[in-house]
Amino acid sequence: MVSLRLLLSSSLALLQATPSSAFATAPLSSSRVGSVERRQEVGPLFAEDNNPFGFVQGLFSVAQPKTPAIPDVVVDSDYTLAAVFASIGLSSVFLGHDIFTSVFGGLFVLLATLFAVQASRIRFVFDGEAFELKNASGDDEQLSDSGENIVVGGANRWKYETFVNYEFFPKGSPVPILVYFKETQTVKEDGSNDGQIHFFPAIANCKQLEEQFALRGCAKIRD
């Protein structure tokens, strides 16, 4: 009976003890620790699906190279169009001999001013999935959303896969005047999306634009 009481008393004492004191584990010797660590290192050699040859497959597997992402590009501004129009306009104003020529020249000067302002504040941007027009402001040219397209509505952002065609006019000219592209992303007022045409004055580097259109896989109708 005495032995039974002692056993019960010790059992109650263990239950009342804190886990840290009642179930504390004796520290492992350095040799035992090394053995455990070696077992832990060996463990991952076997795949989770219990395939004993999984580690062999891992040793001879060849890592697939990742396709490098195309970096975002902000196309350089180009004031060539503004300079050409200004030259024609000023020449007509100062060298013209009639009112019609002077008015014609004044119109060209106004257009040149408009093109120069647009070239200074609008940026053509290519990112990972779309071509976009953004506004640049400040000396550090912080880019911001350009708002809704004033002609057809919607954001001035078009995904590359929706392009149908692009071109520069006049074709082959050293000084393009217009940038043209057609896309199917914009839904027309009648609900169709068989292709929306866009024209922009060539206020950005057209060579860079053409390179980026081709690099991003934009569709083009070849002559």
Side-chain angles (χ1 to χ4, degrees):
M1 286 295 287
V2 175
S3 300
L4 181 59
R5 288 179 180 177
L6 289 174
L7 180 60
L8 290 173
S9 300
S10 61
S11 299
L12 290 173
L14 285 174
L15 291 173
Q16 293 172 355
T18 60
S20 60
S21 62
F23 299 101
T25 304
L28 294 174
S29 64
S30 59
S31 61
R32 293 180 61 191
V33 170
S35 176
V36 172
E37 290 178 347
R38 285 193 295 273
R39 286 199 299 271
Q40 291 176 343
E41 293 174 357
V42 173
L45 292 176
F46 295 94
E48 293 183 358
D49 58 358
N50 294 324
N51 180 4
F53 300 102
F55 76 97
V56 177
Q57 297 173 355
L59 291 175
F60 293 97
S61 62
V62 179
Q64 296 297 324
K66 293 183 179 180
T67 303
I70 303 174
D72 296 351
V73 171
V74 180
V75 178
D76 295 336
S77 298
D78 193 331
Y79 294 87
T80 303
L81 184 64
V84 170
F85 270 63
S87 298
I88 296 173
L90 292 174
S91 298
S92 299
V93 170
F94 291 109
L95 301 178
H97 300 287
D98 54 58
I99 187 66
F100 175 78
T101 305
S102 297
V103 171
F104 177 80
L107 178 60
F108 266 68
V109 171
L110 289 176
L111 287 174
T113 303
L114 174 63
F115 295 153
V117 171
Q118 288 183 322
S120 67
R121 71 179 188 87
I122 295 178
R123 296 293 178 270
F124 290 33
V125 181
F126 292 84
D127 62 24
E129 63 178 19
F131 166 63
E132 184 173 6
L133 270 60
K134 285 183 173 290
N135 289 333
S137 59
D139 295 336
D140 54 352
E141 293 197 353
Q142 290 290 329
L143 299 180
S144 60
D145 189 271
S146 60
E148 187 172 289
N149 189 290
I150 61 174
V151 179
V152 299
N156 289 310
R157 178 179 174 84
W158 303 274
K159 292 187 176 181
Y160 304 125
E161 60 265 25
T162 67
F163 273 60
V164 176
N165 191 24
Y166 63 88
E167 192 54 83
F168 303 89
F169 295 107
K171 291 183 179 181
S173 171
V175 183
I177 297 175
L178 290 174
V179 179
Y180 152 85
F181 70 91
K182 185 178 181 181
E183 45 82 17
T184 58
Q185 176 177 304
T186 303
V187 179
K188 296 182 179 180
E189 293 183 356
D190 59 2
S192 64
N193 64 340
D194 55 344
Q196 178 64 56
I197 293 175
H198 301 269
F199 286 100
F200 296 102
I203 56 175
N205 188 308
C206 290
K207 183 178 181 180
Q208 293 180 12
L209 283 172
E210 187 172 17
E211 289 174 350
Q212 290 299 316
F213 282 143
L215 182 63
R216 312 282 174 166
C218 298
K220 178 175 174 60
I221 298 175
R222 303 294 176 180
D223 295 334

